[in-house]
Amino acid sequence: MLQILTGRFFEGKGKLEEQETEAVLYSNFWFIGEINTPVGVLNPARYGTREATAFVFRYMNKYERASDKDPMVLAHSDEAVDQFRALATLWFRALFHPDRAFVEAMTRPHPRGFGGGIVPARYVDRYFTASVECDHEERGGFSTFLNSVLSLPREKYLRVITCVRAFCDSLEALGINYDVAYSLLIYMLEALGKASDEKFTPTWEDYEEGQRKKVDKLCGEMEGDLARRLRETLTNTPHLKLSKRFVDFVSGNVRDSFFTTESVGRTWPIRKSELPRLLKNLYTTRSVYVHELEEVLDESRHIRPEPTDDTSRIGHDPYLTYSGLLRLARAVLINFIDTAPKLDSEQAHWRGQLPGMVSVELSPEYWIWKTDGFEAKHAKHRLGGVAAHILDLIPKDGAAMAPLGPLVAIIEDMVPKAPKEHVPALLGIYWLFNCFIVPEHKRPNWEQYLRTAMDKVTDCHMESLVAAVLTGWALSFDAVASEAAYREYVQHRHKPMALWVAGLLEVAVLCHVANIYHEEGKPDEYRRLLNEAILDAPFNPTLQRRLAEYRDAGSVVDVPVLIGHRVRVEPPITSEI
């Protein structure tokens, strides 16, 4: 949002809406005067010694309308303020937060009574000091730093701002959970590495030393190039690739000044020769915490280091303290921002990224009838929409169906030439339309057309089961084939262009298959499927109780009533497709 307010994405074609806006932030940081930035002005509103200082951030909220019909005037800009305060926290190494009480609690010098939590200032220097001062160079550098951030390509900016927020989240979590605070910084460095354009390819030397020696011994007994192929296979694992990228990315974004001028005042500072080992230990620490919730390997749990300590040792092995990891993470973030390519302007789909914007699928009646660009490969997704529409119409007397006629006419011509895997879905749409539309709009000789086409479909498919359940027609497939079709559907239903139907309809299909088992004289299979249907219907306790009654009585489930039909049609339709 903050990058959008610079206007770099505006094309000058629509009306520009602007509104002067103010936000109040509190901080343990203070200065005299004001700080001008590319997006606004930061002014101290009140000075204090024991309490947090109040700041007013004044900025211009902007929005360029897409056209005269664009209903949007201005987007809510709280997200921009949140991004600004996160960047200020990163740069000034001080807390900025909209809650004064939070800042004062985090900068407290002593615990709040017995078991009052961690005192953050004991683990890291400056950030949680009661009063943080800055010099003129630091103030002037903030504007330059913000300009660098805001000039990043859009995708890189979004990744960077996410990582900066994680940096702040880590600081804010320190007062509650040391492990979470420590791990967040590692996750942040991992995520930032994914924004890098560099390729990191692991070598055999990157493989874990203990295992590497065992494999080398085995490779010595192998003939030909088998040993080389084995090593290549082992170095091509996802875990090793991620570890390699993490170590090389972080190492590559640490300047030499980090070990010289920036280390002044540090105790047990990070040494360049030890950085690879520190990073490997860091990545291992992250993995152990993620998978086993094992406490972070840091002696600060027992012998607390000084807030300026970068490292601690367990035996001869070096590990980063929270303070050292925080300093390293900040250095990597700032260097990545400084060295990344910059753009003065850029085309981006920024309107869809405004805060509060969400993408939702329209109700089926608004799109299932559209014919533009319709192809056979769209049939499964379209059938899901048609089935949802029909399911909604069933309990409503006199409800009008969406205008599916033109689409069904296209499908009639499409079926003979369609790929085999899409035919059941195309026929499902055709079937549902003709069963539920008023007689005068049915396709000519549609039943004969459907029977002829279905005769060529040799296997049972979920598409056919859905149509059969909604229409009350019977299929010629046995229970085993029908259940197999349902299982295949469950396996693929979450894919983008796959068939997906509502939970009620899935339960109805299960009951339909259970009924077939009942007719075949297989009561155990019947009860098994009804038990599954009950557990798959937590959205409707009444339905669960009704299915349990059917199961306990060993009777056939009245599927039409289950999906909303008021009265079972008499005599029942027994036509087989």
Side-chain angles (χ1 to χ4, degrees):
M1 180 65 183
L2 196 64
Q3 193 181 39
I4 293 173
L5 298 189
T6 63
R8 59 177 293 173
F9 305 121
F10 299 166
E11 299 175 350
K13 297 178 180 178
K15 182 181 178 182
L16 181 63
E17 303 287 352
E18 295 182 312
Q19 182 182 55
E20 291 186 9
T21 312
E22 295 181 348
V24 177
L25 297 171
Y26 297 92
S27 178
N28 56 334
F29 173 79
W30 74 275
F31 61 90
I32 298 175
E34 65 180 24
I35 297 179
N36 288 289
T37 75
V39 288
V41 179
L42 187 66
N43 275 304
R46 175 177 170 277
Y47 298 97
T49 52
R50 296 181 61 185
E51 296 181 344
T53 300
F55 292 89
V56 175
F57 174 46
R58 294 184 175 88
Y59 62 99
M60 187 70 74
N61 190 6
K62 301 177 183 178
Y63 177 79
E64 183 185 58
R65 293 194 178 193
S67 66
D68 292 339
K69 297 181 180 179
D70 187 349
M72 178 75 78
V73 178
L74 284 170
H76 206 285
S77 57
D78 281 358
E79 184 180 281
V81 176
D82 187 65
Q83 292 177 4
F84 178 85
R85 70 136 183 134
L87 290 165
T89 295
L90 174 69
W91 181 257
F92 290 117
R93 292 180 292 155
L95 291 181
F96 285 81
H97 200 275
D99 185 351
R100 181 174 64 185
F102 178 81
V103 175
E104 293 174 353
M106 292 295 287
T107 56
R108 66 189 186 278
H110 306 290
R112 292 169 292 191
F114 180 75
I118 296 171
V119 176
R122 295 182 179 179
Y123 292 89
V124 62
D125 61 312
R126 175 155 170 154
Y127 288 88
F128 302 104
T129 303
S131 181
V132 176
E133 300 181 28
C134 76
D135 54 31
H136 179 73
E137 183 179 350
E138 199 171 17
R139 287 175 54 188
F142 181 55
S143 181
T144 303
F145 168 68
L146 264 188
N147 192 60
S148 294
V149 174
L150 298 171
S151 299
L152 291 170
R154 183 62 178 170
E155 292 305 314
K156 272 192 168 54
Y157 171 83
L158 293 174
R159 178 58 60 89
V160 164
I161 209 67
T162 298
C163 291
V164 173
R165 279 173 162 168
F167 182 91
C168 293
D169 289 343
S170 172
L171 288 167
E172 293 170 12
L174 184 59
I176 301 172
N177 191 312
Y178 184 94
D179 294 304
V180 170
Y182 194 97
S183 300
L184 268 173
L185 291 175
I186 306 175
Y187 305 152
M188 182 274 287
L189 290 171
E190 260 195 299
L192 189 64
K194 293 182 179 180
S196 173
D197 298 324
E198 296 182 55
K199 301 296 181 183
F200 304 104
T201 305
T203 64
W204 183 237
E205 293 303 314
D206 295 312
Y207 205 74
E208 196 275 322
E209 185 177 6
Q211 295 297 320
R212 188 175 74 239
K213 289 181 178 180
K214 293 178 182 178
V215 174
D216 283 339
K217 186 177 179 180
L218 290 173
C219 288
E221 303 171 4
M222 296 179 182
E223 297 180 357
D225 68 341
L226 187 59
R228 177 188 60 79
R229 288 159 54 196
L230 175 61
R231 290 188 178 102
E232 286 180 354
T233 300
L234 292 174
T235 55
N236 199 36
T237 58
H239 177 78
L240 188 60
K241 288 181 178 180
L242 291 172
S243 174
K244 175 71 171 177
R245 180 173 62 187
F246 179 80
V247 173
D248 286 3
F249 170 76
V250 174
S251 300
N253 277 280
V254 178
R255 300 172 182 171
D256 288 346
S257 59
F258 180 81
F259 306 100
T260 55
T261 55
E262 294 174 28
S263 289
V264 174
R266 306 299 297 180
T267 46
W268 297 103
I270 298 169
R271 301 171 59 204
K272 187 168 185 176
S273 63
E274 284 190 330
L275 184 58
R277 183 65 184 182
L278 284 165
L279 293 175
K280 285 185 177 180
N281 287 342
L282 191 65
Y283 197 77
T284 301
T285 300
R286 163 257 186 217
S287 298
V288 171
Y289 180 71
V290 167
H291 300 296
E292 301 178 24
L293 285 181
E294 186 172 311
E295 290 182 342
V296 168
L297 294 172
D298 189 349
E299 287 184 344
S300 60
R301 297 188 171 279
H302 310 292
I303 304 172
R304 190 173 64 245
E306 292 296 319
T308 54
D309 284 359
D310 279 351
T311 62
S312 63
R313 291 182 182 273
I314 299 177
H316 295 292
D317 222 1
Y319 290 86
L320 287 167
T321 64
Y322 179 81
S323 183
L325 176 55
L326 190 71
R327 187 169 84 90
L328 177 66
R330 180 178 183 271
V332 171
L333 258 173
I334 290 177
N335 184 73
F336 181 83
I337 292 167
D338 286 346
T339 57
K342 308 295 188 299
L343 298 174
D344 294 327
S345 61
E346 180 183 6
Q347 287 187 341
H349 299 292
W350 58 273
R351 288 185 178 86
Q353 297 168 350
L354 290 170
M357 301 290 286
V358 293
S359 297
V360 296
E361 186 170 285
L362 294 174
S363 185
E365 62 267 26
Y366 295 110
W367 57 271
I368 56 174
W369 49 270
K370 294 186 176 181
T371 58
D372 292 344
F374 179 76
E375 300 177 29
K377 64 182 179 181
H378 304 140
K380 292 182 179 182
H381 179 257
R382 190 67 64 94
L383 173 61
V386 172
H389 180 52
I390 297 298
L391 189 64
D392 183 57
L393 295 181
I394 284 174
K396 300 176 181 177
D397 292 331
M401 181 188 292
L404 289 167
L407 177 70
V408 172
I410 291 174
I411 287 174
E412 198 171 66
D413 295 332
M414 187 180 287
V415 167
K417 299 171 287 186
K420 182 180 178 181
E421 65 268 24
H422 301 308
V423 169
L426 291 168
L427 292 177
I429 298 171
Y430 186 87
W431 187 350
L432 290 175
F433 169 78
N434 285 289
C435 277
F436 285 94
I437 196 66
V438 293
E440 58 266 27
H441 292 300
K442 295 181 188 292
R443 298 295 300 169
N445 301 316
W446 72 272
E447 291 183 74
Q448 182 59 44
Y449 176 90
L450 183 61
R451 292 179 196 279
T452 302
M454 288 294 288
D455 285 342
K456 299 177 183 178
V457 180
T458 57
D459 298 323
C460 186
H461 297 273
M462 182 64 174
E463 292 90 330
S464 302
L465 290 172
V466 167
V469 165
L470 287 170
T471 60
W473 286 36
L475 295 172
S476 59
F477 301 105
D478 63 14
V480 171
S482 300
E483 183 179 355
Y486 176 78
R487 301 297 171 204
E488 184 179 5
Y489 157 78
V490 170
Q491 186 176 357
H492 300 287
R493 62 184 168 185
H494 298 298
K495 293 182 179 179
M497 294 302 292
L499 171 67
W500 182 90
V501 297
L504 176 60
L505 198 47
E506 290 181 355
V507 170
V509 169
L510 273 174
C511 293
H512 171 79
V513 180
N515 284 345
I516 301 176
Y517 274 124
H518 187 277
E519 293 168 5
E520 294 176 357
K522 299 176 180 178
D524 291 342
E525 300 302 311
Y526 161 82
R527 283 192 293 270
R528 176 177 61 82
L529 282 197
L530 279 194
N531 283 332
E532 183 178 343
I534 291 168
L535 298 178
D536 245 12
F539 50 84
N540 191 333
T542 301
L543 173 61
Q544 289 179 310
R545 289 192 294 271
R546 188 185 307 168
L547 293 178
E549 291 171 0
Y550 281 119
R551 178 200 60 198
D552 297 340
S555 57
V556 173
V557 179
D558 194 339
V559 176
V561 171
L562 184 148
I563 60 174
H565 285 287
R566 296 180 185 276
V567 181
R568 178 184 284 275
V569 178
E570 296 292 349
I573 298 173
T574 57
S575 302
E576 287 192 353
I577 294 293

